[in-house]
Amino acid sequence: MDIKQIVKTQKEYFADQHTKDFSKRKKLLKNLLSELLKREKEIVDALYADFKKSEYESVMTETSIVISELKRTIKKLKVWAKPQAVMPVVLNFPSTSKIYKEPYGNVLVISPWNYPYQLALVPLIGAIAAGNTVVLKPSELTPNTSKITKEILESVFNKELVTVVEGGVETATKLLAQRWDYIFFTGSVNVGKIVATAAAKYLTPVTLELGGKSPCIVDDTANIKLAARRIVWGKFINGGQTCIAPDYLLIHTSVKDRFVNCFKAEITKAYGENPEKSTDFPRIINQRNFERLSLMLENENFLVGGNTNKEDNYISPTLIDEPSLDSEVMKGEIFGPIFPVISYETENDLHKIMSKYDKPLALYVFTGKNSFAKKIISIYSFGGGTINDTTVHFANHHMPFGGVGESGIGSYHGKQTFDIFCHKKGITKRYNWLDIPVRYAPYKGKLKTLKTFMRLFS
Ligand code: NAD
């Protein structure tokens, strides 16, 4: 595929104003919806073929999320796209002011493998809704999902509007060398930095949805049984390969034993005595990641699990007891079904551990004390989080989803997915029936009036 030619074609298409017609955009999104609904089973099968993700998890965390985001966008598009009237200022009297939502132009979306369908489609829907053209590069590690995504998008959109370019690092590098009007990237921190560097060359705005080491705190007032159940779910869904999965557990010493017992029981309840036999527990995406995770298991004490099967890239749900902060598992984001447990006594202990790491994408706190939860939220900087549960803040499309610092730049979901793909163009319209002369030269003798005027009305 000639990448330069693809970009050129899309640029011409955008410049010729083909994407600006609001009703055309809405019709295309409706066509996309009917195609996605029709082919949901094929998508689910592709996800299973890629990493044995169960149909249930695929519907819950992939297809349903895309469908609801798409339905919401179709329903709200008219309101979101409409120029928004804002209050005029007296200094400009008489005037009116409006914010116009202008599409950036040609957008590049690069998506990861862990939620390969949702994380490709949701930004694409926002970009198209806002009136951009899109080149999507899905992950090379989920070839079945990328293939069906490409087929679906090609059946709905012409290539001038949407092109899917499959490939790995080499292809991504070629794409990043082009001049884009916006880049939306989801993936690792290291690649995020490569994307930001490439974008800087042309001052291209970016959204970077990255990862991090997201802590999960359980204090001595938490509902331990419920905490264990909710953490097992959020940690091991998608085989632990979730950007906002709790990465490590900080538990108050006094409730550790009780928590561990409940945690074990919840794992058995969810995945049976041998999770390898469970049809609900996905595999590690590839051998490289299997080996990376296996290294984290070396020389550690297990409270639960610790089993692997190289033939099938299987790692069991694992609880590691009190690893050293210098150990492999505590160095960076785990991104797998391994959960280190570290006990703490005081808030100072918590601080010592958490302040070792960059600002995470998420934070979870399980507590019966509202004041403790509020304190944690106010002291620590992180992308977003949940009190007394894991990962579910992601599901509220009224809230921005994104990181801060090393965990990302910018956020999306719901209306924000539309908004990030628009430049907000402020336009003031002046009227001619009055022209207050105070601003015009010559200025001699007008300073006092100017000061009064500006201090009163600005
Ligand atoms: P990755 O960074 O390895 O790959 C992401 C995308 O970037 C892929 O399409 C890949 O082909 C491309 N890529 C890889 N190397 C590149 C390079 N050198 N130059 C240009 N492009 C390159 O990430 P991954 O392994 O697919 O996903 C896992 C990471 O993504 C984790 O760190 C996870 O936390 C993060 N993540 C974040 C979110 C979020 O919403 N914030 C969601 C999912 C995953």
Side-chain angles (χ1 to χ4, degrees), residues 85-316:
V86 293
M87 288 293 286
V89 291
V90 179
L91 284 178
N92 287 338
F93 184 79
S95 73
T96 53
S97 286
K98 277 185 184 169
I99 301 169
Y100 286 76
K101 318 280 176 67
E102 173 186 273
Y104 278 105
N106 311 107
V107 172
L108 172 65
V109 176
I110 299 182
S111 56
W113 60 263
N114 65 326
Y115 289 88
Y117 177 68
Q118 185 223 125
L119 297 174
L121 266 287
V122 171
L124 179 134
I125 290 165
I128 293 298
N132 300 279
T133 69
V134 178
V135 169
L136 167 68
K137 198 212 77 68
S139 175
E140 68 280 23
L141 303 188
T142 44
N144 295 290
T145 312
S146 298
K147 184 169 172 271
I148 181 93
T149 304
K150 184 176 162 73
E151 273 174 33
I152 292 174
L153 293 175
E154 282 178 354
S155 72
V156 175
F157 301 106
N158 57 36
K159 65 180 187 325
E160 292 82 1
L161 185 57
V162 174
T163 306
V164 180
V165 179
E166 289 182 283
V169 178
E170 202 184 315
T171 307
T173 307
K174 279 188 196 149
L175 285 166
L176 285 172
Q178 310 306 309
R179 184 173 193 152
W180 300 95
D181 298 302
Y182 202 95
I183 301 176
F184 188 104
F185 172 79
T186 309
S188 59
V189 174
N190 286 342
V191 180
K193 289 176 184 172
I194 295 172
V195 172
T197 307
K201 185 175 176 196
Y202 297 113
L203 292 179
T204 303
V206 289
T207 296
L208 301 177
E209 291 283 335
L210 310 178
K213 211 161 172 61
S214 303
C216 179
I217 304 165
V218 177
D219 84 352
D220 51 345
T221 63
N223 178 333
I224 298 299
K225 195 166 184 291
L226 195 55
R229 183 187 302 162
R230 290 176 174 177
I231 296 171
V232 163
W233 179 76
K235 176 69 193 179
F236 299 119
I237 196 166
N238 216 41
Q241 303 162 113
T242 302
C243 55
I244 48 168
D247 188 280
Y248 60 103
L249 177 68
L250 296 167
I251 189 149
H252 195 270
T253 319
S254 63
V255 288
K256 181 178 167 188
D257 290 347
R258 197 147 62 88
F259 178 86
V260 171
N261 287 335
C262 292
F263 199 78
K264 270 185 200 168
E266 289 299 334
I267 289 177
T268 310
K269 213 157 113 187
Y271 305 113
E273 289 295 340
N274 180 3
E276 193 173 0
K277 292 201 175 128
S278 165
T279 48
D280 293 333
F281 189 67
R283 296 303 184 251
I284 304 306
I285 188 68
N286 62 8
Q287 209 178 338
R288 190 172 61 80
N289 275 288
F290 173 83
E291 277 157 16
R292 180 182 66 77
L293 290 162
S294 298
L295 257 183
M296 296 180 191
L297 300 176
E298 283 179 12
N299 307 317
E300 298 292 357
N301 295 322
F302 306 125
L303 292 164
V304 183
N307 308 310
T308 62
N309 177 0
K310 200 177 169 180
E311 303 304 309
D312 199 22
N313 289 336
Y314 166 76
I315 296 183
S316 66

Side-chain angles (χ1 to χ4, degrees), residues 369-380:
K369 285 187 294 195
N370 212 13
S371 57
F372 179 63
K374 277 189 176 161
K375 197 168 170 186
I376 294 290
I377 292 168
S378 125
I379 293 176
Y380 298 101

